[in-house]
Amino acid sequence: MASMRDIKRRKSSIQGTQQITKAMKLVSTVKLQRARASAERSKGYFTCMYDTVNSILQRVGHIDHKYLASGASSKKAVIVITANRGLAGGYNSNVIKLVTRHPEWRKEDLEIYCLGTKGRDAFVRGGYFVRECDAEVVESPLYKDAAALCDRLLTSFAEGEIGEIYLAYTNFKNTVSHIPTLLQLLPVETPEAEYTEKETSAIMNFEPEDSEALDMLIPKYMTSLIYGALRESVASENGARMQAMDNATSNAEEIISDLTLKYNRARQGSITQELTEIIAGAEALG
């Protein structure tokens, strides 16, 4: 059985850890409020952009355009949004698993664009090729950063260096629900949808020509999705960290209560033993 000194030392250590987890929970709560407000403000625009582009492509039928067909290369560029820090439950590992456990992907065909150092570290350890890593963008996402990344990826796609582009991020549903999501950016997918007779007969006209319109529209569409994913991921990260620190604080409280009980029992046993020895000594002298 552990001595009272050992129990007291462990209890003191856990109390110190509990103070840290409490502080981290408060910080994450404040950050979550700001990140959630930002994600909710921008979510409508990016959802509308995604729905609008898909609706247009569904209506126009087949268009021979470079952004609507896979490139000749078998390489796949995957943008992976993670955090720069841990202690956020399964937030980082869940989005990384979307890539590492994809049943149809081969490691040698992937080029990883990491937004966040936790993703970079995991992929480097796993032997994946990390083309780029940007740690700053996840701290304070800006539209211009998403646009710059989009330009680089589109250049590689146009030059035939990569054949497909994907985005792995965490969708923020609410404070306690965060959904790892893998989205194909290029070639743009056009899932079939059902329309009413009136909608089906609507004529989709382009001004200027369809290829010129898509040259302007698809980069904006892709940039919007990347930026929206960044906002969603930042909110999800802080929500996950708040939950993890709340659980850690509760677990620490349970351990402290258990150690307090053990300490009191050990103290009581020590006092009982001393009294027994005193009584035994008195009887021996008597």
Side-chain angles (χ1 to χ4, degrees):
M1 182 177 178
S3 66
M4 287 191 296
R5 179 180 296 178
D6 292 336
I7 294 173
K8 190 174 182 180
R9 185 183 297 116
R10 189 181 177 201
K11 179 181 175 182
S12 177
S13 174
I14 293 174
Q15 285 174 330
T17 302
Q18 186 184 43
Q19 291 178 346
I20 295 173
T21 58
K22 279 183 178 179
M24 292 184 67
K25 177 189 173 183
L26 291 174
V27 171
S28 296
T29 302
V30 174
K31 288 184 175 181
L32 172 62
Q33 291 174 350
R34 294 198 299 263
R36 179 174 59 185
S38 177
E40 289 176 350
R41 284 197 304 269
S42 58
K43 192 178 184 69
Y45 169 76
F46 299 115
T47 301
C48 183
M49 172 68 82
Y50 179 82
D51 293 340
T52 300
V53 171
N54 278 277
S55 176
I56 291 173
L57 295 177
Q58 289 164 3
R59 292 170 186 269
V60 297
H62 177 72
I63 297 180
D64 184 15
H65 191 274
K66 59 184 178 181
Y67 294 148
L68 303 183
S70 298
S73 175
S74 63
K75 295 290 185 180
K76 297 175 176 62
V78 187
I79 307 166
V80 184
I81 304 177
T82 60
N84 291 327
R85 293 174 294 278
L87 299 177
Y91 169 76
N92 291 308
S93 60
N94 288 339
V95 72
I96 290 169
K97 288 175 184 176
L98 289 177
V99 179
T100 59
R101 297 185 180 181
H102 195 288
E104 299 178 2
W105 287 357
R106 298 186 305 168
K107 183 186 299 185
E108 56 270 22
D109 289 338
L110 302 182
E111 294 187 1
I112 310 297
Y113 290 73
C114 291
L115 304 182
T117 57
K118 284 298 179 180
R120 177 201 62 192
D121 296 343
F123 285 114
V124 169
R125 285 196 304 269
Y128 288 81
F129 174 56
V130 178
R131 169 71 70 177
E132 292 184 14
C133 178
D134 190 340
E136 298 299 325
V137 68
V138 295
E139 296 295 333
S140 182
L142 298 174
Y143 188 85
K144 66 178 182 180
D145 294 326
L149 175 59
C150 177
D151 288 342
R152 294 195 297 274
L153 287 167
L154 288 177
T155 299
S156 296
F157 187 85
E159 293 177 353
E161 296 176 1
I162 53 178
E164 297 175 0
I165 302 174
Y166 293 85
L167 174 63
Y169 71 103
T170 306
N171 182 28
F172 180 80
K173 189 174 181 181
N174 54 50
T175 303
V176 296
S177 180
H178 322 114
I179 306 170
T181 304
L182 182 65
L183 183 65
Q184 181 173 321
L185 297 181
L186 285 185
V188 179
E189 291 185 310
T190 56
E192 294 183 1
E194 295 182 358
Y195 295 103
T196 64
E197 183 178 349
K198 182 178 179 181
E199 291 174 324
T200 308
S201 61
I203 299 175
M204 182 66 64
N205 294 320
F206 287 95
E207 179 66 34
E209 295 298 321
D210 53 10
S211 60
E212 296 179 47
L214 290 175
D215 283 340
M216 294 184 292
L217 183 61
I218 298 301
K220 293 183 181 296
Y221 159 83
M222 186 169 157
T223 300
S224 297
L225 293 184
I226 295 172
Y227 180 67
L230 279 168
R231 288 294 186 185
E232 297 271 334
S233 294
V234 170
S236 298
E237 176 195 347
N238 287 290
R241 183 168 290 110
M242 184 188 73
Q243 283 183 278
M245 293 302 99
D246 182 56
N247 292 335
T249 301
S250 299
N251 291 339
E253 188 64 41
E254 292 179 7
I255 295 174
I256 290 170
S257 298
D258 183 59
L259 289 174
T260 300
L261 181 60
K262 288 182 179 179
Y263 179 83
N264 290 337
R265 285 177 177 173
R267 184 168 176 269
Q268 184 179 13
S270 176
I271 294 173
T272 301
Q273 183 178 356
E274 290 180 6
L275 288 173
T276 301
E277 291 174 353
I278 292 171
I279 293 172
E283 289 178 351
L285 290 174

